[in-house]
Amino acid sequence: MYEGLFLIDNTHASMEWDNVVKHIHDILQKNGAEILKTEKWGEKKLAYKIKGHKRGTYLLIHFNTKSGAITAIKRDFQLSDYIIRSLIVKDDKIEEVSQIGVIEPIPARNTGATPEIKDAELLEKTDMAINVTGEA
Amino acid sequence: MSKKRFNRTSKCRFCRMGVEELDYKDTQNLVKLTTNQGKLFSRKRSGNCAHHQHSVKLSVKRARFMALLPYVA
Ligand SMILES: [Zn+2]
């Protein structure tokens, strides 16, 4: 199973969304892919500007195909005028991956000048904590 | 199906949570695993095991490529 994420030019996304989706499906099907799921993420602000674009619309597609077809698929997407950027990832564990839940953030460290020493301290504390629970 | 690594005393948060792999699309969680400047935490700092540090690194890099996360803040 493959997962493709496509970043689509907003002008096209707002004017002719159905065309864009059909265009992407056509490229996939032309290369022998079976489309399993298509999901629109909607319009989002980009983390950085790409070719002058500040915003874009994301489209997520799950599909099956022979591994040999991926190179051709990637090339076709690169030539597309609608797509700013695309990423295709092989993923056999998509269902599992989407069920991670909430991750505890790494606590902010005091903006001190000696990070190495603080790292060492942190490590020592964790080691000690583990030893204590291990013995108990 | 897949055997979940679960260890209460593990230093690695993902081993403790029983998470196999991270998802590059999970921006809300990935952002917590990077510094304010959008950089990755070192393995030492994050406490992640080799497997999960690799998974975090790959996911953050993919997310950056798709402009879901910044390269620099
Ligand atoms: Zn781990």
Side-chain angles (χ1 to χ4, degrees):
Chain A
M1 172 136 77
Y2 291 90
E3 182 188 84
L5 183 63
F6 305 94
L7 177 54
I8 293 148
D9 187 331
N10 253 354
T11 9
H12 294 293
S14 56
M15 303 275 289
E16 41 173 348
W17 179 250
D18 293 343
N19 265 343
V20 175
V21 176
K22 191 181 174 297
H23 167 77
I24 295 172
H25 281 178
D26 283 350
I27 289 177
L28 288 169
Q29 278 157 352
K30 191 186 81 187
N31 288 290
E34 177 204 358
I35 291 149
L36 303 172
K37 189 180 128 189
T38 304
E39 187 186 322
K40 186 184 181 179
W41 277 14
E43 200 227 9
K44 282 177 84 128
K45 189 178 183 292
L46 305 184
Y48 53 90
K49 259 201 259 181
I50 303 176
K51 294 179 207 153
H53 297 282
K54 284 181 184 170
R55 304 183 73 87
T57 305
Y58 288 90
L59 178 70
L60 183 74
I61 298 182
H62 289 173
F63 60 95
N64 264 331
T65 191
K66 282 179 280 179
S67 57
I70 291 297
T71 331
I73 290 175
K74 281 184 179 169
R75 193 189 50 229
D76 284 350
F77 283 132
Q78 262 165 12
L79 295 172
S80 166
D81 288 333
Y82 299 134
I83 300 164
I84 303 170
R85 202 158 272 197
S86 65
L87 177 67
I88 295 173
V89 173
K90 190 175 197 295
D91 205 335
D92 300 316
K93 295 188 254 180
I94 288 169
E95 298 312 317
E96 283 180 44
V97 165
S98 56
Q99 289 173 359
I100 283 179
V102 182
I103 291 169
E104 44 181 311
I106 294 172
R109 137 164 91 200
N110 301 332
T111 47
T114 51
E116 279 78 12
I117 292 167
K118 278 181 184 161
D119 265 339
E121 278 173 5
L122 189 89
L123 209 66
E124 264 171 33
K125 273 179 202 156
T126 356
D127 278 343
M128 277 156 61
I130 286 164
N131 285 341
V132 168
T133 40
E135 282 163 18
Chain B
M1 301 280 225
S2 61
K3 201 178 165 194
K4 296 267 156 122
R5 278 169 283 246
F6 179 80
N7 185 353
R8 189 170 297 275
T9 55
S10 173
K11 264 189 280 186
C12 175
R13 65 190 60 229
F14 303 107
C15 287
R16 284 199 305 264
M17 288 172 76
V19 171
E20 280 278 313
E21 303 289 345
L22 279 102
D23 184 355
Y24 77 92
K25 304 185 298 307
D26 189 359
T27 323
Q28 282 177 323
N29 276 327
L30 286 181
V31 84
K32 292 181 206 165
L33 302 169
T34 57
T35 67
N36 292 336
Q37 288 137 47
K39 292 165 87 179
L40 281 156
F41 284 105
S42 68
R43 181 174 310 212
K44 198 172 171 189
R45 177 81 179 92
S46 63
N48 291 340
C49 71
H51 173 87
H52 285 117
Q53 181 72 5
H54 177 77
S55 183
V56 170
K57 185 174 163 185
L58 187 66
S59 302
V60 168
K61 286 184 174 182
R62 282 173 175 169
R64 282 178 183 160
F65 177 71
M66 288 309 288
L68 298 169
L69 288 181
Y71 280 98
V72 280

